[in-house]
Amino acid sequence: MTRADHAGSVAGDVATHQASHEKNSLPLLTLGAIGVVYGDIGTSPIYAFRQATHVRPGAAGTDVEILGLLSLIVWALTLTVAVKYVFFVTRADNNGEGGTLSLMALARKTFTKPPIWITALGVLGAALFFGDAIITPAISVLSAVEGVELVAPGMTRWVVPITLLIIVGIFAVQRFGTAKVANVFGPITAVWFLTLGVSGLVQIINYPAVLMALNPLLGFGFLFTHFGIAFVVMGAIFLAVTGAEALYVDLGHFGRKPIVIAWFSLVFPCLLLNYFGQGAFVLLQGVENVESPFFEMQPEWALLPFVILATMATIIASQAVITGTYSLTQQAIALNMLPRMVVQHTSATQSGQIYMPQINTMLMIGVLLLVAIFGSSEALSNAYGIAVSGVMIVTLSLLIVVMWRNWKWHPIAVIGFGLLFAVIDGGFFAANAAKLFQGGWVPAVVALGVALLMWSWMAGRARLSEKTRRDEVPLEFLVNNLSKKKPTTVPGTAIFLTSDVEGAPTALLHSLKHYKVLHEQNVILTVRTSTSPRVPDDEKVTIDAYNELFFRVVVTFGFMESPNIPKALALARKLGWKFDIMSTSFFLSRRSLKLGAKSGMLRFWQDRLFIRLARNASDATEYFHIPTGRVVEIGTQVII
């Protein structure tokens, strides 16, 4: 996810399945998109222009320099968000879904044997989103609460405690779901954007010459005349476009049309008006006399309501990235990139409304630590950007593959598009990388840690699968032998879960070894994850009969679906299988992993990490929603 890469974001939690219901009108979808998709980028004016004018004392001392900085912000918004994301990236949908992992799956579809680097890009994009996810709530809420200093200067020492209290509250209510607060997300954010636009327009009327910043040459001129601090400036300018990935992440929940309409009809104009208004205010007052143009340009009577509205807007932006992390994690689990975790559904009607207590706790601790350590949004801005700009590069790389192999663009057009935005995205990434030792290391370390976990999990699963396959008996061989020499049968149905479609499940072999009986019906069940986000009910289940005793059932879920085996098997009735869960037993293998003799330090620590992750993985019974009273677990020991 990016503040939102990723992944699914708040749209799943925010009544955003409206997009799939015909009864909901385009205006309602557009209003919902304003609240969910753009809540993130809508908070950037609080700190982006301020940071741009403070990059170096005296660097924005003249009118031409201020206009140059403003021009860079305007054209960054236009090229990165309006052109790249709205016109191109949102067209790369995977059956209507967006996000880094969706784009990775879309790119992989074009290859018979997908190259490893495409999967690596997906892992990197998801990991970078996690790195960004702990910073967005911290900088957003902190920057809004800092407005209290202007209302009551004596409150300065309370800014951090108030911020910490709000953040704890945000994370504490996650377990209840966001359906109720979702209904006001759109209207509040719409009011927020209108307020941004009006407050900016007032200042523009006072100083119309600020519109000269529409000239891109002023921006280029600033960079050339301030080459020594160009990277620092671009790092500050980038703050204006953070949140652009949300356009793509929430594509499947709203559809492209409402997102595009919301951007051009309200969000983009209001953002431009506010940035121009801040520029006009600074030009009128003098940059040395302005500390926070966003708040200081408001009338004194409106300052307190404005601070309250800004705080509400940042809470919404934080909500988006938190629930986006849940969705991205769920996708990564479904694609076998992370171990199973507890997923709680907070709605009986909307599958996208989920809560993940482990992720929630880890995020909250990370956000609270950042606020306590950095103490101000200005200091946190140095930590911001590396993860977001990194995800943008990942998105561009995967998009180029899709343009070439899916859309069949001419190679020259693909190269031209790729070079243009490689320069822009690469410049932003380099600018943010320059802040690595001023705080940028925070998201970098988090992203590196998550990428290490994901890669170790996938590598460990591959080795475990290979070893298990070597030790297993071929299923057809076992079935043929049992048909010739049938053991004692007992009434009912036994379902044996296995990820290997070729080998006999370990639970079946151990059941025969210890019990020496078979059920009247024995089902070898394999759960697969599709490269599509959702699989239609009529395509979810396939059944093949080996003989009167054994059946092969394959259940396929989309990578954005919550796997529910009983519900999927109920669909098998349409295929002629009379499934009664009360006369069915589910046999699962519980593997106990042990370290074997290793050569090399890499395998040693990676296998130890994989075993630790496997031990802490959520129980398969809970993950697949299997009734606990119908489960028989058979333990096996595997040395890896």
Side-chain angles (χ1 to χ4, degrees):
M1 247 261 218
T2 112
R3 304 182 191 178
D5 188 21
H6 257 106
S9 109
V10 73
D13 288 50
V14 183
T16 54
H17 281 283
Q18 305 171 75
S20 62
H21 294 84
E22 295 180 1
K23 65 179 182 180
N24 289 324
S25 64
L26 183 61
L28 286 176
L29 288 173
T30 304
L31 183 62
I34 290 170
V36 176
V37 178
Y38 297 111
D40 201 346
I41 199 170
T43 60
S44 295
I46 299 176
Y47 46 81
F49 188 70
R50 180 195 68 194
Q51 290 304 114
T53 57
H54 292 178
V55 288
R56 183 73 60 84
T62 68
D63 290 2
V64 173
E65 289 172 327
I66 292 171
L67 289 171
L69 289 170
L70 185 56
S71 179
L72 288 171
I73 288 177
V74 169
W75 286 101
L77 273 173
T78 302
L79 292 175
T80 301
V81 186
V83 176
K84 178 186 173 185
Y85 278 92
V86 174
F87 280 122
F88 292 104
V89 176
T90 55
R91 297 179 187 272
D93 67 290
N94 185 357
N95 290 343
E97 297 292 340
T100 301
L101 294 180
S102 289
L103 190 58
M104 178 200 73
L106 187 62
R108 290 180 63 177
K109 284 181 181 178
T110 64
F111 295 91
T112 304
K113 186 177 181 182
I116 191 67
W117 59 267
I118 289 184
T119 303
L121 282 174
V123 170
L124 179 61
L128 286 168
F129 176 77
F130 281 99
D132 170 62
I134 66 168
I135 298 181
T136 296
I139 192 173
S140 296
V141 177
L142 190 53
S143 63
V145 176
E146 283 172 345
V148 172
E149 296 175 335
L150 300 175
V151 179
M155 292 285 290
T156 300
R157 70 179 187 276
W158 293 102
V159 168
V160 170
I162 292 172
T163 301
L164 294 175
L165 189 62
I166 291 174
I167 288 171
V168 169
I170 292 172
F171 283 98
V173 300
Q174 296 302 315
R175 70 185 64 197
F176 303 112
T178 57
K180 292 181 180 178
V181 293
N183 295 327
V184 297
F185 273 16
I188 288 178
T189 312
V191 170
W192 168 251
F193 279 114
L194 289 171
T195 305
L196 291 182
V198 171
S199 64
L201 182 60
V202 170
Q203 301 300 325
I204 295 171
I205 293 173
N206 292 334
Y207 196 89
V210 73
L211 296 176
M212 291 173 59
L214 287 169
N215 183 358
L217 295 179
L218 290 174
F220 285 118
F222 183 96
L223 292 178
F224 284 122
T225 55
H226 298 75
F227 191 77
I229 60 170
F231 272 164
V232 182
V233 170
M234 292 304 292
I237 298 300
F238 183 73
L239 295 173
V241 300
T242 52
E245 278 283 326
L247 284 166
Y248 188 39
V249 170
D250 294 321
L251 185 64
H253 301 283
F254 292 98
R256 185 171 182 271
K257 192 172 182 179
I259 289 175
V260 173
I261 291 175
W263 173 254
F264 285 109
S265 65
L266 181 68
V267 178
F268 192 34
C270 290
L271 286 175
L272 290 180
L273 285 172
N274 192 265
Y275 282 121
F276 276 119
Q278 290 188 53
F281 182 77
V282 171
L283 288 168
L284 280 171
Q285 302 295 324
V287 68
E288 69 280 357
N289 299 319
V290 179
E291 181 64 28
S292 179
F294 180 80
F295 287 111
E296 291 178 31
M297 71 181 188
Q298 310 305 323
E300 187 174 344
W301 61 267
L303 192 54
L304 182 58
F306 202 80
V307 170
I308 295 172
L309 183 59
T311 304
M312 294 173 68
T314 55
I315 289 173
I316 292 173
S318 302
Q319 181 69 48
V321 77
I322 292 167
T323 49
T325 308
Y326 300 157
S327 297
L328 182 69
T329 304
Q330 185 184 36
Q331 291 180 42
I333 291 170
L335 293 170
N336 292 321
M337 292 180 168
L338 284 174
R340 294 187 301 267
M341 298 183 199
V342 175
V343 178
Q344 297 177 5
H345 289 263
T346 58
S347 171
T349 58
Q350 296 179 10
S351 61
Q353 291 192 22
I354 60 173
Y355 167 66
M356 304 186 72
Q358 294 151 299
I359 297 298
N360 192 68
T361 301
M362 288 187 288
L363 273 182
M364 183 179 70
I365 292 172
V367 174
L368 292 175
L369 285 175
L370 283 181
V371 172
I373 292 171
F374 285 87
S376 73
S377 60
E378 186 169 357
L380 262 175
S381 67
N382 291 323
Y384 207 26
I386 288 183
V388 190
S389 55
V391 174
M392 287 185 174
I393 291 177
V394 170
T395 297
L396 176 64
S397 303
L398 293 172
L399 181 64
I400 288 172
V401 175
V402 171
M403 286 177 165
W404 170 41
R405 297 181 65 90
N406 289 61
W407 298 352
K408 307 299 181 184
W409 274 27
H410 193 282
I412 294 178
V414 175
I415 292 171
F417 179 90
L419 287 176
L420 171 63
F421 286 100
V423 170
I424 296 173
D425 292 347
F428 280 138
F429 182 77
N432 285 291
K435 300 185 292 184
L436 183 66
F437 297 106
Q438 285 76 47
W441 58 270
V442 174
V445 168
V446 173
L448 183 63
V450 174
L452 183 65
L453 288 176
M454 295 175 78
W455 203 258
S456 297
W457 178 255
M458 290 189 293
R461 274 184 55 88
R463 284 196 292 272
L464 179 61
S465 177
E466 181 183 352
K467 180 170 182 58
T468 304
R469 193 176 295 114
R470 287 200 307 264
D471 297 339
E472 281 181 347
V473 176
L475 181 60
E476 282 202 36
F477 174 80
L478 179 65
V479 169
N480 291 334
N481 277 1
L482 290 175
S483 63
K484 295 174 184 175
K485 189 177 179 181
K486 187 184 298 184
T488 304
T489 59
V490 295
T493 300
I495 297 180
F496 299 90
L497 270 70
T498 177
S499 59
D500 185 8
V501 295
E502 302 291 337
T506 305
L508 172 59
L509 295 174
H510 282 260
S511 177
L512 286 169
K513 177 181 177 182
H514 294 290
Y515 305 139
K516 297 179 176 58
V517 296
L518 279 177
H519 285 69
E520 290 175 334
Q521 282 190 325
N522 298 276
V523 177
I524 312 301
L525 175 64
T526 299
V527 178
R528 287 177 169 173
T529 301
S530 172
T531 54
S532 298
R534 291 181 177 81
V535 175
D537 285 350
D538 58 353
E539 298 177 15
K540 264 191 170 64
V541 182
T542 58
I543 300 177
D544 294 307
Y546 289 105
N547 51 41
E548 69 278 5
L549 279 176
F550 283 93
F551 297 84
R552 155 70 66 194
V553 175
V554 178
V555 178
T556 307
F557 294 100
F559 64 80
M560 290 195 71
E561 294 181 291
S562 179
N564 189 311
I565 287 179
K567 284 186 178 179
L569 293 182
L571 298 172
R573 293 191 180 98
K574 298 178 181 178
L575 302 177
W577 180 27
K578 296 179 180 179
F579 172 71
D580 179 13
I581 196 167
M582 298 313 296
S583 63
T584 300
S585 297
F586 292 84
F587 288 80
L588 279 65
S589 298
R590 179 176 285 275
R591 295 188 180 98
S592 175
L593 304 180
K594 300 291 182 182
L595 282 171
K598 296 293 186 301
S599 58
M601 181 60 69
L602 178 63
R603 279 286 304 277
F604 177 73
W605 68 258
Q606 195 174 55
D607 284 348
R608 289 177 70 90
L609 178 58
F610 172 70
I611 291 174
R612 179 63 61 89
L613 290 172
R615 286 175 180 170
N616 287 283
S618 176
D619 185 69
T621 302
E622 183 177 9
Y623 182 73
F624 290 115
H625 297 86
I626 303 171
T628 54
R630 310 306 308 173
V631 174
V632 178
E633 289 190 346
I634 299 178
T636 60
Q637 189 175 96
V638 180
I639 298 176
I640 60 172

